Amino acid sequence: MREFFTVGDRRLSYLDFGGPGMPLLALHGHYNEASAFAPLAEALAPQWRVIALDQRGHGESDRAESYERADYVADVAAFHRHLEVGPAAVLGHSLGGVNAYQYASRHPDLVTALIVEDIGALVNCDWSFTTSLPRQAPSRDALASALRGAAPYLECSFRESEDGWGFSFDIDDTVASQKALNGDHWTDWAAVTGPTLLIRGTRSDELSADHAREMVARRLGRAWLVELPAGHVVHHDAEAQFAAAVGAFLSKLD
């Protein structure tokens, strides 16, 4: 079910996939939105109730004037407060992964467990793909054709307007967000106190094997690494294996 809430003068959207299970808050990456977690929600039900946020500038949430680190983390905090579900597990992919571990580091009493999908503690994001995206296409098929192999990863964000087909995110806003994502976030990663699962795609061009192992090592027995045969978007490339890894990790917390 799609729901909305307001933060100041902005409206944020989220999908509550429902069910009687324990809440799992899910944060998507750039180019995506809450609906990307529908397969995961189905796989984890009924034990877990996935509630996924359309982060600022994505999906049905309003665009914003700023996409800095503090802005995203404040949105997660507002989202969590709005839900009134108490302490919860949090999962994030890429952009959402950094948002998730930064939120967990600042609010350890509210995050019972953390799952980070294919993003590091050192981020050096390249926005050349973003600037190469078509801003408009005459049809959905034309947009998918222009994206070629990337289309399956972005199709949840396809939107039709009076001018044709484009995306639910703004390309210039995404570049600003990617620039703000870059940096050294080791302090935040190391400050997380709760149990953490780091999931890496073995074909990832974002998170190297060595960096992932260092991330786990610095958490001194409170983080675990799972590597799956996938690229950067592990939940898409290895859908069933990703859900199984998340479910197995969460089951140990019961």
Side-chain angles (χ1 to χ4, degrees), residues 13 40 47 55 66 113 133 149 169 196 219 227-228 232 242:
S13 167
L40 178 67
Q47 290 83 6
Q55 300 195 86
S66 174
L133 290 171
F169 57 87
T196 301
R219 288 288 309 282
E227 295 180 290
L228 298 176
H232 177 52
F242 179 83

Side-chain angles (χ1 to χ4, degrees), residues 25-32 36-37 55 90-100 115-119 153 181 199 204 206 231-236 242:
L25 312 188
L27 308 173
H28 61 78
H30 285 121
Y31 319 124
N32 274 177
F37 292 111
Q55 300 195 86
V90 180
L91 176 152
H93 170 237
S94 196
L95 162 73
V98 178
N99 297 346
I115 301 150
V116 174
E117 179 189 350
D118 211 74
I119 195 68
Y153 300 100
L181 181 63
I199 301 178
S204 173
E206 179 61 47
H232 177 52
V233 191
V234 188
H235 67 263
H236 178 279
F242 179 83

Side-chain angles (χ1 to χ4, degrees), residues 6-78:
T6 57
V7 180
D9 59 354
R10 290 182 303 105
R11 190 176 74 158
L12 293 177
S13 167
Y14 64 95
L15 289 177
D16 185 345
F17 292 94
M22 296 290 291
L24 172 61
L25 312 188
L27 308 173
H28 61 78
H30 285 121
Y31 319 124
N32 274 177
E33 54 189 63
S35 62
F37 292 111
L40 178 67
E42 182 178 0
L44 295 181
Q47 290 83 6
W48 292 88
R49 168 191 169 197
V50 175
I51 313 171
L53 176 67
D54 278 343
Q55 300 195 86
R56 60 173 51 208
H58 296 79
E60 299 304 312
S61 289
D62 290 342
R63 292 177 181 171
E65 294 183 358
S66 174
Y67 293 88
E68 296 296 322
R69 295 284 77 237
D71 300 320
Y72 277 111
V73 176
D75 284 349
V76 178

Side-chain angles (χ1 to χ4, degrees), residues 4-228:
F4 295 90
F5 68 104
T6 57
V7 180
D9 59 354
R10 290 182 303 105
R11 190 176 74 158
L12 293 177
S13 167
Y14 64 95
L15 289 177
D16 185 345
F17 292 94
M22 296 290 291
L24 172 61
L25 312 188
L27 308 173
H28 61 78
H30 285 121
Y31 319 124
N32 274 177
E33 54 189 63
S35 62
F37 292 111
L40 178 67
E42 182 178 0
L44 295 181
Q47 290 83 6
W48 292 88
R49 168 191 169 197
V50 175
I51 313 171
L53 176 67
D54 278 343
Q55 300 195 86
R56 60 173 51 208
H58 296 79
E60 299 304 312
S61 289
D62 290 342
R63 292 177 181 171
E65 294 183 358
S66 174
Y67 293 88
E68 296 296 322
R69 295 284 77 237
D71 300 320
Y72 277 111
V73 176
D75 284 349
V76 178
F79 174 50
H80 200 166
R81 285 195 304 271
H82 167 77
L83 294 175
E84 298 183 336
V85 295
V90 180
L91 176 152
H93 170 237
S94 196
L95 162 73
V98 178
N99 297 346
Y101 69 67
Q102 289 187 326
Y103 177 65
S105 73
R106 291 158 173 73
H107 302 278
D109 55 327
L110 296 178
V111 179
T112 58
L114 175 67
I115 301 150
V116 174
E117 179 189 350
D118 211 74
I119 195 68
L122 287 174
V123 180
N124 183 21
C125 189
D126 178 3
W127 48 87
S128 60
F129 173 76
T130 308
T131 56
S132 73
L133 290 171
R135 291 180 180 264
Q136 213 72 40
S139 68
R140 183 185 182 94
D141 287 346
L143 181 59
S145 179
L147 293 170
R148 294 183 288 187
Y153 300 100
L154 278 70
E155 63 182 355
C156 69
S157 297
F158 287 8
R159 291 291 191 281
E160 185 178 18
S161 69
E162 294 180 356
D163 300 321
W165 283 81
F167 305 103
S168 60
F169 57 87
D170 179 80
I171 290 174
D172 295 332
D173 286 352
T174 301
V175 171
S177 179
Q178 289 174 313
K179 289 180 177 179
L181 181 63
N182 282 350
D184 182 335
H185 308 307
W186 273 118
T187 299
D188 295 305
W189 174 259
V192 177
T193 57
T196 301
L197 178 66
L198 178 62
I199 301 178
R200 174 183 175 269
T202 56
R203 303 189 303 274
S204 173
D205 56 3
E206 179 61 47
L207 178 59
S208 72
D210 287 346
H211 187 58
R213 284 165 175 71
E214 184 178 0
M215 290 173 71
V216 170
R218 290 202 192 188
R219 288 288 309 282
L220 302 175
R222 295 294 287 165
W224 296 267
L225 174 65
V226 169
E227 295 180 290
L228 298 176

